[in-house]
Amino acid sequence: MANRYIYRINPKEVDFSLRATIISLCDYILQTAGEDADKNGFGTRNLRTDNLTWVLSRMAVEIIRFPNQYEEIIIETWVEDIGKIYTTRNFNIYDARQRLIGHACTYWAIINISTRSVQDILQYPTYTKCIEPTACPIAKPGKILPVKSEHPVDSHTVRYTDIDFNQHSNSTKYIGWMLDSLPIGHFLENDIQRLDINFLHESVYGNNIHIYRSLDETNTVFTLKRESGEMVCNAKISWKKK
Amino acid sequence: MANRYIYRINPKEVDFSLRATIISLCDYILQTAGEDADKNGFGTRNLRTDNLTWVLSRMAVEIIRFPNQYEEIIIETWVEDIGKIYTTRNFNIYDARQRLIGHACTYWAIINISTRSVQDILQYPTYTKCIEPTACPIAKPGKILPVKSEHPVDSHTVRYTDIDFNQHSNSTKYIGWMLDSLPIGHFLENDIQRLDINFLHESVYGNNIHIYRSLDETNTVFTLKRESGEMVCNAKISWKKK
């Protein structure tokens, strides 16, 4: 069953163009996933009683139109299917006039909080009841190969404003660090059309994250690594000219 | 006349303690100021037709209780008085059960966008009609003397995610840079009780901002300067032990 959640774009969620940033939209998409899982009885709150939690593995977002400051958006979400390892949760984003302005597709796994081992999702009956087998509205999140360069273009140390209750970085913070590595002129000329992101390892308070980037005409690929070399995530952004 | 605005604390607005950050609360306070001015016909939208804009000069915030993730808050605001140079706008923050959880007091000036010269606010009759002479609920924002040290403890370059439509940093970003200069242990042991901040100069895209800090048992004083030496803001935070 698909459910709908309503949000409003606050002034702090827009960039210089006075339209929502991709970061704010991804924050609302993940908030919707959390609220919907809670509503259906399989949110992190429920899982925690069994020492389990959800982990976001991959995400793809396509934006048709970035909503403006103070605009209301409606995010519709449903669980498309469940495998042993991953479940697919999809999203449509509408504006107040019910016009589609974006889509997203996410893959999630359940892990044991102590051992970090991946659990078989099919063993959780509450969850498997909720499938709505409507296809993902966009191409599923692809596997992104890491950037080959050995020279980071930027770095970021994980601080107080980056972390959640586990002292891990919030996933959408990564997107901000990637975008901040680009010159402002890039945003004056281009809009994000599609973002694919693969989450590989967590980053925690104090980690120094190195940002690697390769750029062609319509795609930018990013790799984030801890200073120790461990890969944190790979992402690809497809742009369209403004 | 005092007006009330309702917000909800989203997951991205909390820190590791799962309570709203001072940054999110200040964002909502400033959003409330903007929405209320707009509603009364003297928002930035109206001023811009005369090539004028509001500038935040000083702010004081006191927090009784930081609201939790998903909590609803109500921000009440009114214009206490108007002088030639500054106007005072106050705020009470309530939780859903109408209990006071915080207060704020702000000073604003009107400037000419091109010349940056300060305007006599008393010459704008729409504005002067709206005074509600109820006293500021907390001590007015004090003048903060700059930190004496010549050695910055940290620095931050103004990037894409920091800027508004003028390519200036948003005022509340400064608070994040200050807090990020402190070790995480400080937040594990202390809560913010009161924040005073004086805004002196803007910071724009590409500026490298140096952060100076002095710390005693219950107060931390911060000075932010551009690399060129110009002072951007001074602030003081009073803490209470958790």
Side-chain angles (χ1 to χ4, degrees), chain B residues 224-237:
Chain B
L224 268 54
K225 287 183 186 176
R226 293 189 207 143
E227 210 168 11
S228 56
E230 215 150 8
M231 242 185 303
V232 170
C233 74
N234 293 315
K236 186 169 79 177
I237 297 178

Side-chain angles (χ1 to χ4, degrees), chain A residues 10 15 154 159-161 180, chain B residues 15 31 154 159-161 180:
Chain A
N10 292 309
D15 70 7
D154 207 346
R159 312 280 189 101
Y160 166 72
T161 58
D180 278 345
Chain B
D15 69 7
Q31 174 167 343
D154 207 347
R159 313 279 189 102
Y160 166 72
T161 58
D180 278 346

Side-chain angles (χ1 to χ4, degrees), chain A residues 8 10-13 15-16 23 27-28 31 35 70 154 159-161 163-165 180 184 187 205, chain B residues 8 10-13 15-16 23 27-28 31 35 70 154 159-161 163-165 180 184 205:
Chain A
R8 185 173 173 231
N10 292 309
K12 66 175 166 212
E13 291 156 2
D15 70 7
F16 64 81
I23 306 162
D27 277 323
Y28 280 129
Q31 173 167 345
E35 293 202 54
Y70 294 127
D154 207 346
R159 312 280 189 101
Y160 166 72
T161 58
I163 57 172
D164 63 17
F165 63 100
D180 278 345
I184 194 71
F187 301 97
Y205 183 81
Chain B
R8 186 175 173 229
N10 292 309
K12 65 172 169 217
E13 291 156 2
D15 69 7
F16 63 82
I23 307 162
D27 277 323
Y28 280 129
Q31 174 167 343
E35 293 201 56
Y70 293 128
D154 207 347
R159 313 279 189 102
Y160 166 72
T161 58
I163 57 172
D164 64 15
F165 63 98
D180 278 346
I184 193 72
Y205 183 82

Side-chain angles (χ1 to χ4, degrees), chain A residues 67-156:
Chain A
N68 296 314
Q69 178 168 283
Y70 294 127
E71 232 189 293
E72 215 169 70
I73 59 168
I74 300 143
I75 304 186
E76 178 179 54
T77 186
W78 70 99
V79 176
E80 181 188 338
D81 68 6
I82 300 178
K84 268 177 83 75
I85 297 177
Y86 293 123
T87 175
T88 307
R89 180 183 276 282
N90 297 328
F91 307 83
N92 286 323
I93 311 174
Y94 300 90
D95 64 16
R97 294 170 66 186
Q98 308 292 326
R99 286 173 304 199
L100 267 170
I101 59 168
H103 303 280
C105 177
T106 54
Y107 292 175
W108 299 81
I110 293 178
I111 64 163
N112 180 292
I113 292 173
S114 318
T115 65
R116 317 308 277 177
S117 65
V118 174
Q119 307 293 300
D120 175 358
I121 305 174
L122 297 170
Q123 73 183 301
Y124 301 102
T126 336
Y127 192 58
T128 49
K129 276 193 307 205
C130 286
I131 296 175
E132 150 84 43
T134 303
C136 175
I138 54 172
K140 299 213 165 194
K143 182 176 181 177
I144 313 295
L145 295 175
V147 172
K148 280 183 188 145
S149 161
E150 286 174 9
H151 304 287
V153 291
D154 207 346
S155 72
H156 179 90

Side-chain angles (χ1 to χ4, degrees), chain A residues 165-176:
Chain A
F165 63 100
N166 290 315
Q167 300 199 14
H168 295 138
S169 288
N170 289 314
S171 324
T172 55
K173 288 283 173 181
Y174 299 157
I175 306 170

Side-chain angles (χ1 to χ4, degrees), chain B residues 143-156 174-175 177-179 181 196-198 200-201 208-215 220-227 229-237:
Chain B
K143 183 176 179 176
I144 313 296
L145 295 176
V147 172
K148 280 182 187 143
S149 160
E150 285 175 9
H151 305 286
V153 292
D154 207 347
S155 72
H156 179 90
Y174 298 157
I175 306 171
W177 306 340
M178 293 173 201
L179 297 182
S181 81
D196 283 272
I197 182 162
N198 299 173
L200 303 168
H201 284 100
N208 185 247
I209 304 300
H210 288 189
I211 297 146
Y212 300 82
R213 194 179 69 209
S214 70
L215 185 64
T220 312
V221 182
F222 296 92
T223 291
L224 268 54
K225 287 183 186 176
R226 293 189 207 143
E227 210 168 11
E230 215 150 8
M231 242 185 303
V232 170
C233 74
N234 293 315
K236 186 169 79 177
I237 297 178

